[in-house]
Coordinates of all heavy atoms in Angstrom, one line a residue:
S22 N -0.5 144.9 -39.3 CA -0.4 145.2 -40.8 C -0.6 146.7 -40.8 O -1.5 147.4 -40.2 CB -1.5 144.5 -41.6 OG -1.3 143.0 -41.5
Y23 N 0.2 147.3 -41.7 CA 0.2 148.8 -41.8 C 1.0 149.2 -43.0 O 2.1 148.7 -43.4 CB 0.8 149.4 -40.5 CG 0.9 151.0 -40.5 CD1 -0.3 151.7 -40.5 CD2 2.1 151.5 -40.6 CE1 -0.1 153.1 -40.6 CE2 2.2 152.9 -40.6 CZ 1.1 153.7 -40.6 OH 1.2 155.1 -40.6
L24 N 0.3 150.1 -43.8 CA 1.1 150.8 -45.0 C 1.6 152.0 -44.4 O 0.9 152.9 -44.1 CB 0.1 151.0 -46.0 CG 0.6 151.7 -47.2 CD1 1.5 150.8 -48.1 CD2 -0.4 152.3 -48.2
A25 N 3.0 152.2 -44.5 CA 3.7 153.3 -44.0 C 3.5 154.5 -45.0 O 4.3 154.7 -45.9 CB 5.1 153.0 -43.8
T26 N 2.4 155.2 -44.9 CA 2.2 156.4 -45.7 C 3.2 157.5 -45.6 O 3.3 158.3 -46.5 CB 0.8 157.0 -45.6 OG1 0.6 157.4 -44.2 CG2 -0.3 156.0 -45.9
E27 N 4.1 157.4 -44.4 CA 5.0 158.5 -44.2 C 6.2 158.3 -45.3 O 6.9 159.3 -45.7 CB 5.6 158.5 -42.9 CG 6.1 157.2 -42.4 CD 5.0 156.3 -41.8 OE1 3.8 156.6 -41.9 OE2 5.5 155.4 -41.0
S28 N 6.3 157.2 -46.0 CA 7.3 157.1 -47.0 C 6.7 157.6 -48.3 O 7.6 158.0 -49.2 CB 7.6 155.5 -47.3 OG 6.4 154.8 -47.7
I29 N 5.4 157.9 -48.3 CA 4.8 158.5 -49.5 C 4.6 160.0 -49.3 O 4.7 160.8 -50.2 CB 3.5 157.9 -49.8 CG1 3.6 156.5 -50.0 CG2 2.7 158.5 -51.0 CD1 2.3 155.6 -49.9
L30 N 4.3 160.4 -48.0 CA 4.2 161.8 -47.6 C 5.3 162.2 -46.6 O 5.1 161.9 -45.5 CB 2.8 162.0 -46.9 CG 1.6 161.6 -47.7 CD1 0.3 161.7 -46.8 CD2 1.4 162.5 -49.0
P31 N 6.4 162.7 -47.2 CA 7.5 163.1 -46.3 C 7.1 164.1 -45.3 O 7.8 164.3 -44.2 CB 8.5 163.7 -47.2 CG 8.2 163.2 -48.6 CD 6.6 163.0 -48.6
S32 N 5.9 164.9 -45.3 CA 5.5 165.6 -44.3 C 5.2 164.9 -43.0 O 5.2 165.5 -41.9 CB 4.2 166.4 -44.7 OG 3.2 165.5 -45.0
N33 N 5.0 163.6 -43.0 CA 4.6 162.7 -42.0 C 5.8 162.0 -41.5 O 5.7 160.9 -40.9 CB 3.5 161.8 -42.2 CG 2.1 162.5 -42.5 OD1 2.0 163.6 -41.9 ND2 1.4 162.0 -43.3
A34 N 7.1 162.5 -41.6 CA 8.2 161.8 -41.2 C 8.3 161.6 -39.8 O 9.0 160.6 -39.2 CB 9.5 162.5 -41.6
R35 N 7.5 162.3 -38.9 CA 7.4 162.1 -37.5 C 6.8 160.6 -37.1 O 6.9 160.1 -36.2 CB 6.5 163.1 -36.8 CG 5.0 163.0 -37.3 CD 4.3 164.2 -36.6 NE 2.9 164.3 -37.1 CZ 2.5 164.8 -38.1 NH1 3.2 165.4 -38.9 NH2 1.1 164.9 -38.4
N36 N 6.2 159.9 -38.1 CA 5.5 158.7 -37.9 C 6.5 157.5 -38.3 O 6.0 156.3 -38.4 CB 4.3 158.6 -38.7 CG 3.2 159.6 -38.1 OD1 3.1 159.8 -36.9 ND2 2.5 160.2 -39.0
L37 N 7.8 157.7 -38.7 CA 8.7 156.7 -39.2 C 8.9 155.7 -38.2 O 9.5 154.6 -38.5 CB 10.0 157.4 -39.6 CG 9.9 158.1 -41.0 CD1 11.2 158.8 -41.3 CD2 9.5 157.2 -42.2
W38 N 8.7 156.1 -36.8 CA 8.9 155.0 -35.7 C 7.9 154.0 -35.8 O 8.1 152.9 -35.1 CB 9.0 155.8 -34.5 CG 7.7 156.6 -34.3 CD1 7.6 157.9 -34.6 CD2 6.5 156.2 -33.9 NE1 6.3 158.4 -34.4 CE2 5.6 157.3 -33.9 CE3 5.9 155.0 -33.4 CZ2 4.3 157.2 -33.5 CZ3 4.6 154.9 -33.0 CH2 3.8 156.1 -33.2
L39 N 6.8 154.1 -36.5 CA 5.7 153.1 -36.4 C 6.0 151.8 -37.0 O 5.8 151.8 -38.3 CB 4.4 153.8 -37.0 CG 3.0 153.3 -36.6 CD1 2.9 153.3 -35.1 CD2 1.8 154.0 -37.3
R40 N 6.4 150.9 -36.4 CA 6.8 149.5 -36.8 C 6.3 148.6 -35.9 O 6.3 148.7 -34.6 CB 8.3 149.5 -36.9 CG 9.0 150.4 -38.0 CD 8.6 150.0 -39.3 NE 9.2 150.7 -40.5 CZ 8.7 151.8 -40.9 NH1 7.6 152.2 -40.5 NH2 9.3 152.4 -41.9
P41 N 6.0 147.3 -36.4 CA 5.6 146.2 -35.7 C 6.9 145.7 -34.9 O 8.0 145.6 -35.5 CB 5.1 145.1 -36.6 CG 5.6 145.5 -37.9 CD 5.8 147.0 -37.9
G42 N 6.8 145.2 -33.7 CA 7.8 144.6 -32.9 C 8.5 145.7 -32.0 O 8.5 146.9 -32.3
R43 N 8.9 145.3 -30.9 CA 9.6 146.2 -29.9 C 10.9 146.6 -30.3 O 11.7 145.9 -30.8 CB 9.6 145.5 -28.5 CG 10.2 146.3 -27.4 CD 10.4 145.5 -26.2 NE 9.1 145.0 -25.6 CZ 8.8 143.7 -25.6 NH1 9.7 142.8 -26.1 NH2 7.6 143.4 -25.2
V44 N 11.2 147.9 -30.2 CA 12.5 148.5 -30.5 C 13.1 149.3 -29.4 O 12.3 150.2 -28.9 CB 12.4 149.4 -31.7 CG1 13.8 150.0 -32.0 CG2 12.1 148.6 -33.0
A45 N 14.2 148.9 -28.7 CA 14.8 149.7 -27.7 C 16.0 150.4 -28.2 O 16.7 149.9 -29.1 CB 15.3 148.6 -26.6
Y46 N 16.3 151.6 -27.7 CA 17.3 152.4 -28.3 C 18.1 153.2 -27.1 O 17.4 153.5 -26.0 CB 16.8 153.4 -29.3 CG 15.8 154.4 -28.9 CD1 16.3 155.6 -28.3 CD2 14.5 154.1 -28.8 CE1 15.4 156.6 -27.9 CE2 13.5 155.1 -28.4 CZ 14.0 156.2 -27.9 OH 13.1 157.2 -27.4
A47 N 19.3 153.7 -27.4 CA 19.9 154.6 -26.6 C 20.7 155.7 -27.5 O 21.0 155.3 -28.6 CB 21.0 153.9 -25.6
R48 N 20.7 156.9 -27.0 CA 21.2 157.9 -27.8 C 21.9 159.0 -26.9 O 21.5 159.3 -25.9 CB 20.0 158.7 -28.5 CG 20.4 159.7 -29.5 CD 19.2 160.5 -30.0 NE 18.4 159.7 -30.9 CZ 17.1 159.3 -30.6 NH1 16.6 159.9 -29.5 NH2 16.4 158.5 -31.3
I49 N 23.1 159.5 -27.5 CA 23.8 160.5 -26.8 C 23.9 161.6 -27.8 O 24.4 161.4 -29.0 CB 25.3 160.0 -26.4 CG1 25.0 158.9 -25.4 CG2 26.0 161.2 -25.8 CD1 26.4 158.3 -25.0
S50 N 23.5 162.8 -27.5 CA 23.6 164.0 -28.3 C 24.4 165.0 -27.5 O 24.2 165.5 -26.4 CB 22.1 164.6 -28.6 OG 21.4 163.7 -29.2
L51 N 25.6 165.5 -28.2 CA 26.5 166.4 -27.5 C 26.5 167.8 -28.3 O 26.4 167.8 -29.6 CB 28.0 165.8 -27.5 CG 28.1 164.5 -26.7 CD1 29.5 164.0 -27.0 CD2 27.7 164.6 -25.3
A52 N 26.7 168.7 -27.5 CA 26.7 170.2 -28.0 C 27.9 170.9 -27.4 O 28.1 170.6 -26.2 CB 25.5 170.9 -27.9
F53 N 28.5 171.7 -28.2 CA 29.7 172.4 -27.5 C 29.4 174.0 -27.7 O 29.9 174.6 -28.7 CB 30.9 172.1 -28.2 CG 31.2 170.5 -28.0 CD1 30.8 169.7 -29.2 CD2 31.9 170.0 -27.0 CE1 31.1 168.3 -29.0 CE2 32.0 168.7 -26.9 CZ 31.6 167.8 -27.9
P54 N 28.7 174.6 -26.7 CA 28.4 176.0 -26.9 C 29.7 176.8 -26.9 O 30.7 176.5 -26.4 CB 27.4 176.2 -25.8 CG 27.7 175.1 -24.7 CD 28.2 174.0 -25.5

């Protein structure tokens, strides 16, 4: 159980990943210097 205060305090957006249950992800970030 957890109240996501980051939705109330946008300064804590770094904590938006904090969720019950496992989450797997893949990401590709491309840059063209």
